[in-house]
Amino acid sequence: MVVIFIQFNYPHITNSIVNAVYTRTNSSFSSVLDVSIQNRRFLNISSKPQVIVTPLDVSHIQATIICAQRHGLQIRTRSGGHDYEGLSYVVGVPFVILDLINLRGIEIDVENSTAWVEAGATLGELYYRISQKSKTLGFPAGECPPVGVGGHFSGGGYGYMMRKYGLAADHVIDAKIVDVNGNLLDKETMGEDLFWAIRGGGGASFGVIVAWKIKLVPVPSTVTVFNVSRTLEENATEIIQKWQRVANKMDERIFIRVDVKKVNSSEHGKQTIQANFVSMFQGGVEELIPLMQKTLPELGLDRKDRTETSWIGSVVFANVVLGGSSVNEAHEVLLNRTRFRERIIAKAISDYVMKPIPVERVMALAL
Ligand SMILES: Cc1cc2nc3c(=O)[nH]c(=O)nc-3n(C[C@H](O)[C@H](O)[C@H](O)COP(=O)(O)OP(=O)(O)OC[C@H]3O[C@@H](n4cnc5c(N)ncnc54)[C@H](O)[C@@H]3O)c2cc1C
């Protein structure tokens, strides 16, 4: 198949689309394809695109859309490559990958507490850039730094600050999107319905998101984190039951998640279940202590369990919980796009429940 790309404008030779096109015969094709396959389940898949385009500017996205239509190719848009089903790069028909890895500029406007972030940027890059400009601004999105803002914001996006601030999509105040006809639209020109749809309905159904304008949120200069483990022998069952009853009534600055896993028991040759209570509180230790004593004293939180840090420090902490090495790691670790790739071989779903989940069901989830 011969694929011909139309160049809409020629701003500068380095931005020529020729530098952004990888056909199967290109020696970099496999590495460009693999670098954003974030789930090992899909590393050796047979579904390969005819061509990968890594746009250097918006005109390359427009050209790819028009060209793909002419040649009967489907398009898959990839930002961070974290889709649990590999939907940004796995297809059963001939297709093109529009990989936005080169479109990841971030402009922070501290005075107005806003930012423009291009779709190919990761959450880690966004958090890091915010922290470089301000110690008291943050953004309420997910906890895994290499996740792309292109897929994440268009699907909602929740994280450690969701109880106070809701979803990432709730804080999108403008967007640039290229539609099926190659038109570049913003909030005003796309209209209310489309602007509503791309903030939760998934961007790929509607076009290619180029960039988001977001409203940043205030964060205190000191936040507190903890990661406390309790096994069945240490009352994990009772604490989980209580946590389910009080989690939504606690001060909205406290977020506590619970991960359950199987571990070796202190009794030789036996296994037990361990629950990890992982938390971020938007405030200092002295304020957190009475709040925890009032609402979840069963956890028996000790002063030594808690660490005060900055908001960006809490993001690194969440990273440690995911498998990073130390809470004191340099913040630059957030810029690593492939850090956890070798570990992710997972399928996950999220759900909302109105009634507590029976604790046996929670325990049955332990791997
Ligand atoms: C390890 C891991 C941790 C996660 N943690 C969280 C979390 O803490 N909170 C949370 O809410 N979610 C979390 N998720 C889910 C994650 O937010 C979604 O999978 C999200 O869609 C990934 O976005 P992406 O850009 O990285 O993925 P991609 O695979 O690039 O894209 C995902 C989907 O969005 C489409 N898309 C991507 N970019 C664009 C664009 N620019 N324009 C139009 N469509 C686009 C793709 O075509 C695909 O359908 C996590 C997922 C993983 C694998």
Side-chain angles (χ1 to χ4, degrees):
M1 173 178 299
V2 180
V3 181
I4 302 164
F5 279 88
I6 307 156
Q7 183 85 19
F8 273 51
N9 55 23
Y10 305 90
H12 190 277
I13 190 69
T14 54
N15 268 7
S16 164
I17 197 166
V18 173
N19 298 321
V21 174
Y22 299 84
T23 57
R24 289 181 179 181
T25 53
N26 187 303
S27 57
S28 301
F29 179 85
S30 294
S31 55
V32 174
L33 176 63
D34 286 355
V35 73
S36 292
I37 295 183
Q38 299 285 0
N39 194 322
R40 278 198 293 145
R41 280 164 66 211
F42 303 110
L43 257 184
N44 297 313
I45 38 136
S46 54
S47 154
K48 305 254 190 259
Q50 307 298 119
V51 58
I52 306 167
V53 183
T54 57
L56 300 166
D57 63 43
V58 176
S59 70
H60 298 170
I61 298 176
Q62 295 169 311
T64 306
I65 289 174
I66 303 297
C67 184
Q69 282 176 15
R70 287 202 184 154
H71 291 276
L73 297 171
Q74 284 204 10
I75 294 179
R76 287 297 177 270
T77 307
R78 185 163 74 173
S79 289
H82 275 77
D83 192 277
Y84 280 115
E85 294 302 331
L87 292 183
S88 52
Y89 50 86
V90 181
V91 194
V93 295
F95 72 110
V96 182
I97 292 182
L98 249 180
D99 190 320
L100 304 187
I101 192 159
N102 291 322
L103 292 183
R104 45 203 246 236
I106 298 169
E107 277 172 35
I108 312 283
D109 177 349
V110 174
E111 205 178 315
N112 293 305
S113 303
T114 60
W116 270 106
V117 49
E118 287 185 321
T122 62
L123 295 178
E125 288 166 345
L126 173 63
Y127 297 154
Y128 180 81
R129 299 288 166 221
I130 295 172
S131 74
Q132 294 281 295
K133 295 277 181 167
S134 166
K135 304 296 171 220
T136 52
L137 287 174
F139 191 68
E143 65 210 55
C144 184
V147 165
V149 305
H152 188 70
F153 293 3
S154 61
Y158 63 86
Y160 280 36
M161 296 204 288
M162 73 171 166
R163 295 200 56 236
K164 186 167 165 71
Y165 291 117
L167 302 178
D170 296 330
H171 300 268
V172 170
I173 53 177
D174 200 346
K176 290 180 190 159
I177 180 170
V178 178
D179 72 7
V180 66
N181 299 315
N183 300 313
L184 176 63
L185 308 172
D186 63 9
K187 180 182 174 185
E188 215 178 297
T189 49
M190 79 177 80
E192 257 178 54
D193 286 351
L194 183 53
F195 187 59
W196 176 80
I198 58 172
R199 290 172 298 153
S205 309
F206 306 102
V208 178
I209 314 282
V210 180
W212 306 102
K213 185 175 185 184
I214 53 175
K215 186 79 186 161
L216 306 178
V217 300
V219 292
S221 51
T222 302
V223 308
T224 308
V225 294
F226 66 78
N227 179 7
V228 175
S229 305
R230 296 286 182 261
T231 59
L232 291 180
E233 295 74 20
E234 294 164 323
N235 278 342
T237 312
E238 184 195 326
I239 306 168
I240 290 176
Q241 274 170 326
K242 176 75 183 293
W243 166 74
Q244 289 203 76
R245 288 201 306 275
V246 299
N248 63 333
K249 300 179 189 78
M250 289 173 128
D251 185 304
E252 62 182 10
R253 293 170 298 162
I254 304 180
F255 172 85
I256 304 178
R257 60 180 272 180
V258 179
D259 302 327
V260 286
K261 63 178 180 183
K262 283 192 185 135
V263 293
N264 290 331
S265 141
S266 50
E267 264 186 77
H268 184 67
K270 292 204 169 162
Q271 283 207 310
T272 184
I273 290 174
Q274 183 184 70
N276 293 332
F277 296 82
V278 184
S279 173
M280 195 271 258
F281 171 64
Q282 294 171 57
V285 167
E286 293 311 322
E287 238 190 312
L288 175 62
I289 295 168
L291 287 173
M292 288 300 293
Q293 274 166 354
K294 194 171 140 210
T295 45
L296 195 54
E298 296 79 359
L299 189 57
L301 198 61
D302 196 87
R303 190 170 283 271
K304 71 172 169 29
D305 298 323
R306 294 165 279 209
T307 308
E308 283 189 339
T309 180
S310 56
W311 170 71
I312 197 69
S314 78
V315 177
V316 173
F317 162 80
N319 202 16
V320 172
V321 171
L322 285 167
S325 57
S326 153
V327 78
N328 297 319
E329 268 187 297
H331 299 161
E332 284 68 26
V333 71
L334 301 173
L335 305 176
N336 186 336
R337 289 180 81 102
T338 52
R339 183 145 195 239
F340 299 117
R341 190 170 82 148
E342 296 312 317
R343 299 190 195 158
I344 304 172
I345 184 163
K347 163 85 185 153
I349 54 165
S350 302
D351 210 346
Y352 295 90
V353 291
M354 303 299 284
K355 290 190 295 188
I357 305 170
V359 79
E360 322 75 72
R361 300 244 180 99
V362 177
M363 295 307 188
L365 296 171
L367 296 173

